[in-house]
């Protein structure tokens, strides 16, 4: 009688993603290819991440590698040389980047904001995208577009004179253009808010991104101390912005351009939280590898992996990450399903989904903390990716668009039938 096959030893299998176990009909062939090429870069991303922190920007090798994988074209229309990918594709690609380096994933996430300029006049679009085949990195970054503190603009012949300082220009060291927020006085004397596009030579990057995490995102402030001229075709009133974004659906083809404004806001949130998901998966991957190689400090087990407390931490953290992943991927699939069906989200649905996604970030952050504490003091070395994931996810969770308590309040008000606060698409303060 033959012996039954030996069971696979614990940890011998890879830390498989729920996305791999449950394929989606909304993951396109191109999205899968870019995701898989990005996954192949994970060792490089982790190796280069410490240099990126020292530079305060993505290292050249990292930037070129992810550029060549096509990640900066995911949100661009096919008509302009992009891939027009949907929500599921985008989430899986950003998650894969996050498994290697949170700063790389964040840079690609914010680069998706280039959608905001696609509704500008054709002359503007032509000016921006003339470098699509030669520029390495994001073409456009945003800085303080929807913030309470922005720059100023005054009317000039044929356009506007713009000046000011704008914070959090993520990716600015790699970009050709910057979209910034400004206030202006209308012809009726009333104040207005707008978005202006500045070319790279019109602003100065301030080296002020000195933070505990996401250091390589180059989220510096930018400034135009002397007035910069912005022609009318590079200037959009935020009161007109929802209509401008809706017009994009009529100009470009592909699933990535079938979404209404609320769906676009959900895609932005999905891309944001995908960074946290990727970092949580990266932490789990590093944890498994390190636990099997390290010896406990004061307990008589062969390895840290043999400790019951480590096993409990690993099983719990994986369940937390899987729960977060199922939530994120499920909502990404729903965004794509509705895009194809031509069905829009209601304000109540957007509020509920956004809070689901914010809660998924908390699960990811708590899982990372649990894994770091379980593996011990070896993780505090700056060479250890786990400490970087722990710092990066805490910085990510402070971002205004996904901070837990404010978003929970917005969701709770909607659930309890209270009058909503004035918001743009339910997730961004109404400033226009």
């Amino acid at each position: 009688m033959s012996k039954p096959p030996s069971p696979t030893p614990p940890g011998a299998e890879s830390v498989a993603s729920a996305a791999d176990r449950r394929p989606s009909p909304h993951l396109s062939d191109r999205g899968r290819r870019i995701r898989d090429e990005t996954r192949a870069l994970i060792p490089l991303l982790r190796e280069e991440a410490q240099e990126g922190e020292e530079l305060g920007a993505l290292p050249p090798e990292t930037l070129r590698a992810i550029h060549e994988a096509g990640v900066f074209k995911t949100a661009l229309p096919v008509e302009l040389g992009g891939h027009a990918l949907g929500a599921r594709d985008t989430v899986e690609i950003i998650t894969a980047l996050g498994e290697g380096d949170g700063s790389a994933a964040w840079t690609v996430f914010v680069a998706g904001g280039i959608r905001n300029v696609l509704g500008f006049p054709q002359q503007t679009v032509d000016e921006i995208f003339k470098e699509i085949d030669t520029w390495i990195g994001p073409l456009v970054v945003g800085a303080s577009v929807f913030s309470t503190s922005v720059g100023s603009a005054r009317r000039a012949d044929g356009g506007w004179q713009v000046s000011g300082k704008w914070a959090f220009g993520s990716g600015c060291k790699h970009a050709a253009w910057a979209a910034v927020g400004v206030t202006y006085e209308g012809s009726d004397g009333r104040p207005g808010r707008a978005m202006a596009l500045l070319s790279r030579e019109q602003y100065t990057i301030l080296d002020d991104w000195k933070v505990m995490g996401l250091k390589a995102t180059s989220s510096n402030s930018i400034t135009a101390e002397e007035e910069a001229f912005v022609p009318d075709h590079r200037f959009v009133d935020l009161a007109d912005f929802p209509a401008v974004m809706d017009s994009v659906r009529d100009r470009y083809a592909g699933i990535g351009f079938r979404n209404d404004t609320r769906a676009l806001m959900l895609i932005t949130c999905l891309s944001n939280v995908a960074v946290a998901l990727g970092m949580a998966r990266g932490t789990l991957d590093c944890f498994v590898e390190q636990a099997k190689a390290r010896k406990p400090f004061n307990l008589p087990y062969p390895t840290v992996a043999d400790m019951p407390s480590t096993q409990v931490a690993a099983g719990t953290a994986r369940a937390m990450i899987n729960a977060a992943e199922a939530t994120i991927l499920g909502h990404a699939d729903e965004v794509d399903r509705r895009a194809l069906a031509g069905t829009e989200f209601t304000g109540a649905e957007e509020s509920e989904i956004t809070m689901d996604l914010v809660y998924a970030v908390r699960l990811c952050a708590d899982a990372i903390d649990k894994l770091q504490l379980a593996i011990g003091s070896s993780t505090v070395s700056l060479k250890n990716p786990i400490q970087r994931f722990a710092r990066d996810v805490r910085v990510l969770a402070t971002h205004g668009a996904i901070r837990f308590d404010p978003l929970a309040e917005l969701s709770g008000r909607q659930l309890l039938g209270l009058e909503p606060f004035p918001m743009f698409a339910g997730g961004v303060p109404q400033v226009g």
Side-chain angles (χ1 to χ4, degrees):
M1 188 174 180
S2 60
K3 292 178 63 178
S6 301
T8 303
E13 70 282 354
S14 63
V15 183
S17 165
D20 296 324
R21 296 192 297 269
R22 295 188 293 273
S24 167
H26 300 297
L27 179 63
S28 70
D29 290 341
R30 186 180 295 277
R32 184 180 294 106
R33 178 185 63 77
I34 296 175
R35 180 203 63 186
D36 291 346
E37 289 185 14
T38 300
R39 279 182 175 170
L41 297 174
I42 288 174
L44 170 68
L45 298 180
R46 291 179 185 168
E47 181 182 347
E48 297 283 314
Q50 187 174 352
E51 180 186 351
E53 291 198 308
E54 294 166 358
L55 291 172
L58 297 183
E61 188 173 356
T62 292
L63 186 66
R64 180 173 290 278
I66 64 175
H67 169 85
E68 291 177 351
V71 299
F72 291 114
K73 293 186 176 182
T74 57
L76 299 181
V78 174
E79 294 88 343
L80 296 174
H83 305 313
L85 298 184
R88 179 62 183 252
D89 288 336
T90 301
V91 165
E92 293 216 21
I93 291 166
I94 292 177
T95 298
L97 283 163
E99 291 183 52
D101 178 17
S103 288
W106 181 269
T107 301
V108 173
F109 148 56
V110 296
I114 197 169
R115 291 174 183 267
N116 293 339
V117 306
L118 293 173
F120 276 62
Q122 188 61 44
Q123 182 180 354
T124 308
V125 175
D126 291 342
E127 289 171 349
I128 292 171
F129 286 91
K130 67 182 180 181
E131 298 180 275
I132 184 64
D133 293 325
T134 57
W135 190 266
I136 297 177
L139 280 171
V140 182
V141 295
S144 298
V145 174
F146 299 103
S147 300
T148 55
S149 177
V150 295
S152 61
R154 65 177 181 85
R155 250 299 176 196
D157 185 23
W160 302 81
Q161 293 289 352
V162 171
S163 62
K165 177 182 176 182
W166 300 272
F168 306 116
S170 296
C172 62
K173 290 186 177 180
H174 306 305
W177 297 81
V180 298
V182 294
T183 59
Y184 70 93
E185 183 178 301
S187 57
D188 58 0
R190 295 183 179 181
R193 281 289 300 269
M195 181 194 306
L197 278 172
L198 301 176
S199 61
R200 180 63 191 85
E201 64 272 11
Q202 290 182 301
Y203 59 87
T204 301
I205 297 173
L206 303 179
D207 191 22
D208 60 358
W209 183 241
K210 308 298 183 183
V211 290
M212 64 175 280
L214 293 177
K215 292 184 175 184
T217 61
S218 65
S219 298
N220 302 278
S221 300
I222 64 175
T223 182
E225 295 182 1
E226 297 183 3
E227 289 185 324
F229 178 72
V230 175
D232 282 325
H233 64 271
R234 296 185 201 158
F235 194 92
V236 168
D237 194 304
L238 288 187
D240 301 326
F241 190 65
V244 168
M245 292 306 298
D246 279 341
S247 72
V248 171
R249 290 191 286 178
D250 299 324
R251 296 173 67 174
Y252 304 110
I255 187 173
F257 295 93
R258 295 187 184 181
N259 301 288
D260 68 329
T261 302
R262 286 198 179 98
L264 288 174
M265 295 301 295
L266 287 174
I267 290 173
T268 299
C269 189
L270 282 161
S271 302
N272 194 339
V273 303
V275 181
L277 176 60
M279 292 192 289
R281 293 208 58 81
T283 302
L284 184 61
D285 183 46
C286 293
F287 174 88
V288 170
E289 178 183 359
Q290 294 176 29
K292 292 187 290 184
R294 298 189 183 281
K295 294 184 180 298
F297 174 69
N298 52 10
L299 290 173
Y301 292 100
T303 70
V304 170
D306 291 296
M307 297 168 56
S309 58
T310 301
Q311 296 155 18
V312 170
T316 304
R318 180 167 66 175
M320 295 166 72
I321 296 168
N322 284 348
E325 184 169 72
T327 298
I328 295 167
L329 296 181
H331 286 315
D333 280 342
E334 180 62 11
V335 169
D336 285 340
R337 188 192 71 78
R338 293 204 188 190
L340 293 171
T343 307
E344 298 184 353
F345 289 91
T346 66
E349 288 175 321
E350 187 204 8
S351 176
E352 181 177 359
I353 292 170
T354 299
M355 188 57 210
D356 286 353
L357 297 174
V358 171
Y359 191 77
V361 173
R362 172 166 285 190
L363 287 174
C364 291
D366 289 350
I368 291 172
D369 282 351
K370 183 180 290 292
L371 293 170
Q372 183 183 24
L373 290 172
I375 203 74
S377 60
S378 62
T379 64
V380 302
S381 168
L382 294 181
K383 295 181 180 181
N384 194 319
I386 291 178
Q387 56 78 32
R388 185 173 302 107
F389 289 134
R391 289 185 289 109
D392 286 352
V393 79
R394 285 302 164 194
V395 172
L396 181 144
T398 67
H399 190 274
I402 58 169
R403 278 183 58 213
F404 191 91
D405 287 349
L407 270 295
E409 180 179 347
L410 291 171
S411 181
R413 288 184 69 86
Q414 178 273 319
L415 179 63
L416 295 169
L418 300 175
E419 183 179 354
F421 296 124
M423 306 291 286
F424 164 62
V428 175
Q430 180 67 56
V431 294

